[in-house]
Each structure stands twice: as C-alpha cells, then as structure tokens.
Amino acid sequence: MRLIILAVPAFALGACAAVPPQTVSTTASPVPIAAFEVPMDPGLIRCSSLTNPNALAAATQWTIGQARAGVLSGQVAELPSEGDLALTFTAYCAENPNSTVRAAAVHWGLAS
C-alpha cells in the first residue's frame, strides 16, 4: 500500500515534465522589411526611398516635428495627423520621385 502511495506522485510529476506535442503552423512567415539607414538629417530622405516603411515612418516623424515647431512659432495653423501625412507623402512622391522630404514639407508649408 505504501508503495502505491509513493508511486502516484512520481507518475503525476512525470506527466508535468512531458513536452506537449508541437503543432506545425501553415501560415506564411512575414517578409522581412529591408533595412533603411536614416540619415543624420531625415529631411534629406529621397522620395524614391519612401517605399520602405521604415523610411516613410522616419519621414513622417521628422515632418511632424517640423510642423510642431511651426505651430509653436505661429507659422503653421494646425498639426496634420500621421496617417494623413503618410498618404500625402505617397501622393507627392509619386509625382516627384527625385524630391526630398524637406522639399515636400516646404511645399506643404510645414517646414521652412
């Protein structure tokens, strides 16, 4: 009887140590985003680089910063949203692929 009482916890602990079966995922692995090195002055990012999401994010953040400075100095009436700014960059850069982020921001009146 004592042997049974000692054996039951040993089996229970053995079940806890068992590795669960691995399931195979059939989902496709995400495509890695190409690395983009942001220049010291993000205003120099070329429009042709904005197809990279990292470049677009850096350009958007830089332009938002320029617009905030313009709002604080009274040169810009209101701050654009990041989503609207990203869409505007996409449209502007489709027409001006050799332009820079700074030129686009100056064109919209968000930077000087």
Side-chain angles (χ1 to χ4, degrees):
M1 180 69 156
R2 287 184 189 175
L3 194 54
I4 294 175
I5 292 175
L6 291 175
V8 170
F11 287 123
L13 287 176
C16 291
V19 178
Q22 297 292 327
T23 59
V24 177
S25 176
T26 59
T27 59
S29 62
V31 176
I33 297 173
F36 179 77
E37 188 173 329
V38 178
M40 186 67 85
D41 179 7
L44 298 176
I45 296 173
R46 291 239 167 258
C47 276
S48 59
S49 300
L50 295 185
T51 56
N52 185 313
N54 295 332
L56 182 60
T60 302
Q61 290 301 315
W62 180 84
T63 308
I64 291 285
Q66 295 296 309
R68 283 185 183 137
V71 167
L72 290 174
S73 67
Q75 295 174 351
V76 177
E78 70 179 68
L79 195 62
S81 72
E82 289 184 29
D84 291 342
L85 195 55
L87 290 174
T88 307
F89 265 128
T90 305
Y92 178 84
C93 288
E95 295 176 10
N96 306 296
N98 294 325
S99 187
T100 62
V101 170
R102 181 181 314 282
V106 168
H107 176 75
W108 300 321
L110 298 176
S112 55

